[in-house]
Amino acid sequence: NRVVIEEFLTGREVSVLAFTDGRTVRPMVASQDHKRAFDHDEGLNTGGMGTFAPSRFYTPALAERCMKEVFQPTVAAMNAEGRPFKGVLYFGLMIDGEKVRVLEYNARFGDPETQVVLPLLKSDLLDIFQSCIDGTLEDQPVEWEEGACVCVILASGGYPVRYEKGKPITIGRMDEGIRLYHAGTKRTADGQLVTDGGRVLGVTAKGRDLEEARAKAYANVEKIHFDGMFFRHDIGFKL
Ligand code: GLY
């Protein structure tokens, strides 16, 4: 009975996660997710096939504008509605030149954004959480490393539509510093690691810059195998 017509948004999608104690908002480094299943943004939308941080596209000027036009007003509006919020807010932004639009909000970290954001956090996460609870975020250091981080998702053949689970996974020796996030895996009764979801593993590497992080992540992707495994080859190439 009701038709909703929405503006078709084009531009660059940037995810900004932010800590808040209900008053102060402290954004984390901005990241970019790759939502389509295949290289060059082809195929269906997924939960995310890979991420990188920081986003070079998200300039300090843009960050300042988003703080004024999006982040602070969001927290203020929740307070005005009598729904003060403490924790992590996820701002899914679409940025097209001068236009900044909010595509989605989540009251949580992002996946796979968190995989590339938290490794760059220098400050103690527990202290930050505590300051969100205590309402003292304004005085809490939230510092970030200079480098970059890349996460490549290894997915099950057929994801995001139909895929089989239970494929044995083999993992070679990961290089020093690689973080391998298990998203859809499990161990069988006899101890075999097998696939148990669409997005199976997130191979995550830090580097001095995006190029180094990307090279390290992809070098380690090569050491993992399961039947039907696929991944995007262009994570972090389109900035
Ligand atoms: N990467 C999208 C999300 O966490 O919602």
Side-chain angles (χ1 to χ4, degrees):
N1 292 331
R2 188 160 165 207
V3 175
V4 177
I5 299 176
E6 296 188 328
E7 184 183 351
F8 181 82
L9 298 183
T10 54
R12 193 76 86 237
E13 230 180 297
V14 176
S15 308
V16 182
L17 316 177
F19 300 107
T20 180
D21 60 1
R23 194 167 46 98
T24 301
V25 182
R26 302 294 286 274
M28 305 181 211
V29 287
S31 56
Q32 283 178 235
D33 193 2
H34 298 61
K35 294 267 168 60
R36 301 277 182 167
F38 306 124
D39 290 3
H40 315 300
D41 289 336
E42 288 185 3
L44 294 174
N45 247 1
T46 69
M49 291 298 293
T51 38
F52 66 90
S55 162
R56 287 179 194 167
F57 186 72
Y58 190 72
T59 59
L62 206 47
E64 200 179 317
R65 221 184 116 196
C66 288
M67 177 61 96
K68 265 200 227 127
E69 294 177 17
V70 180
F71 309 156
Q72 288 291 4
T74 299
V75 169
M78 283 194 281
N79 284 331
E81 284 182 0
R83 284 183 247 273
F85 182 84
K86 293 178 181 215
V88 172
L89 282 177
Y90 171 124
F91 299 93
L93 306 173
M94 181 68 96
I95 296 164
D96 190 4
E98 283 301 290
K99 271 200 272 180
V100 177
R101 297 278 192 271
V102 178
L103 274 181
E104 62 171 323
Y105 284 114
N106 293 304
R108 57 163 173 78
F109 281 97
D111 174 14
E113 285 91 338
T114 313
Q115 287 89 319
V116 292
V117 169
L118 287 189
L120 297 173
L121 180 65
K122 272 205 287 194
S123 311
D124 191 304
L125 185 60
L126 195 59
D127 289 345
I128 299 172
F129 286 156
Q130 192 63 54
S131 72
C132 289
I133 294 166
D134 296 341
T136 55
L137 186 59
E138 194 177 3
D139 305 320
Q140 169 64 42
V142 181
E143 285 167 11
W144 301 96
E145 286 179 24
E146 285 297 315
C149 202
V150 169
C151 173
V152 180
I153 297 294
L154 309 183
S156 298
Y159 173 76
V161 183
R162 212 177 6 248
Y163 50 87
E164 289 175 12
K165 298 180 181 178
K167 307 284 183 197
I169 304 170
T170 55
I171 304 178
R173 192 176 176 78
M174 295 288 104
D175 292 336
E176 186 80 23
I178 296 293
R179 290 172 163 86
L180 191 55
Y181 292 100
H182 288 240
T185 68
K186 72 171 185 188
R187 278 208 189 271
T188 58
D190 56 2
Q192 171 69 52
L193 188 68
V194 296
T195 63
D196 196 38
R199 289 185 296 162
V200 177
L201 290 160
V203 185
T204 309
K206 271 203 292 194
R208 276 166 300 189
D209 53 27
L210 188 60
E211 289 67 29
E212 189 181 90
R214 199 169 55 207
K216 282 188 188 173
Y218 277 110
N220 284 276
V221 162
E222 298 302 324
K223 301 179 189 176
I224 300 174
H225 177 78
F226 52 86
D227 247 16
M229 174 180 121
F230 79 98
F231 59 91
R232 280 184 59 157
H233 303 79
D234 60 350
I235 302 302
F237 279 91
K238 190 180 119 191
L239 302 180

